[in-house]
Amino acid sequence: MKLNPFILALVFLTVGALTSPAHALFETRVTYGMLANNPDLDPLCPTCAAETPSVSNAYGLGADAILTIPFPFVPGVGLRYENMSFTTSGIDYTMDYTRTALLINWRPIDNLFFLGPIFTWGLSHSTRLKAEEGGVLKADFSSDSVKSYSLGLEGGVKLTGFIVGAEVGYLDFRWDGAEDATGNAATQDINMSGTYGKIILGFSI
């Protein structure tokens, strides 16, 4: 049986794309993420009269920069920046934070498709959680002692240097000893941990 040369070439190119390495030295990407945190808001506004609202997910933009040495089993190392926020209604709780973290990822599958674990460790944070009722500021918390790390799984596809993918995982995010700028003497430990997801768009060279 004689095979069509065009079909043979197409099969060869497809197999080559799926099996040949596609390691990039440097990767930059923007992310849009969601954090499904569920902090305990009750102790944060003891003078509020209305019922404490349920917490909405936090959403926001971010950016990653990753350097990868093209050797087997060597992880990529980089930095992650995030800017996230949420707002509730009733009692108007507003939370926003920025987070800069060390990023380490490893892709055992890294060809046309990539898949592997990703880890981050928080290096620098800015935090704020305030509560307003009837236009009056009732609480305004921030913390100088913040700890965070995340563990997740990323995957996607590489299209001639462009990257489209997603990431899911868990972020452990704790604001220890948060202080209220409105004058409340008591400090609060605020737990902003939760599952997260991100959409990834990037470019690699």
Side-chain angles (χ1 to χ4, degrees):
M1 181 177 66
K2 186 176 181 181
L3 294 177
N4 189 314
F6 175 77
I7 295 177
L8 286 174
L10 182 60
V11 170
F12 176 79
L13 291 174
T14 302
V15 172
L18 292 173
T19 59
S20 61
H23 299 290
L25 183 62
F26 187 67
E27 182 175 308
T28 59
R29 56 202 199 177
V30 295
T31 62
Y32 181 74
M34 177 274 295
L35 174 62
N37 51 6
N38 188 26
D40 183 9
L41 299 179
D42 285 328
L44 302 181
C45 191
T47 62
C48 291
E51 183 179 352
T52 302
S54 58
V55 178
S56 302
N57 294 333
Y59 295 91
L61 295 171
D64 299 336
I66 306 170
L67 179 67
T68 303
I69 300 174
F71 292 107
F73 308 112
V74 177
V77 178
L79 289 175
R80 164 165 290 179
Y81 174 80
E82 299 171 310
N83 189 331
M84 307 281 285
S85 63
F86 72 67
T87 301
T88 67
S89 58
I91 303 174
D92 296 324
Y93 283 91
T94 302
M95 184 277 293
D96 58 82
Y97 73 83
T98 63
R99 177 175 180 262
T100 303
L102 173 70
L103 182 154
I104 299 174
N105 69 339
W106 179 58
R107 295 173 177 171
I109 300 174
D110 193 12
N111 301 296
L112 177 62
F113 301 97
F114 66 89
L115 181 70
I118 184 167
F119 171 81
T120 71
W121 182 268
L123 301 174
S124 176
H125 310 82
S126 67
T127 60
R128 189 177 187 187
L129 175 64
K130 62 180 182 177
E132 294 182 351
E133 187 177 29
V136 178
L137 182 64
K138 295 294 188 77
D140 189 356
F141 284 95
S142 62
S143 174
D144 294 326
S145 180
V146 182
K147 297 177 290 186
S148 70
Y149 68 88
S150 70
L151 182 62
L153 183 70
E154 64 170 355
V157 62
K158 297 179 179 181
L159 305 170
T160 61
F162 292 95
I163 297 167
V164 180
E167 178 183 333
V168 293
Y170 182 81
L171 172 65
D172 191 278
F173 191 23
R174 302 174 189 271
W175 306 7
D176 293 339
E179 297 182 353
D180 185 357
T182 63
N184 185 352
T187 61
Q188 297 286 343
D189 291 340
I190 304 175
N191 190 343
M192 288 290 177
S193 304
T195 57
Y196 74 88
K198 291 180 180 292
I199 298 171
I200 299 169
L201 297 174
F203 182 76
S204 61
I205 56 175

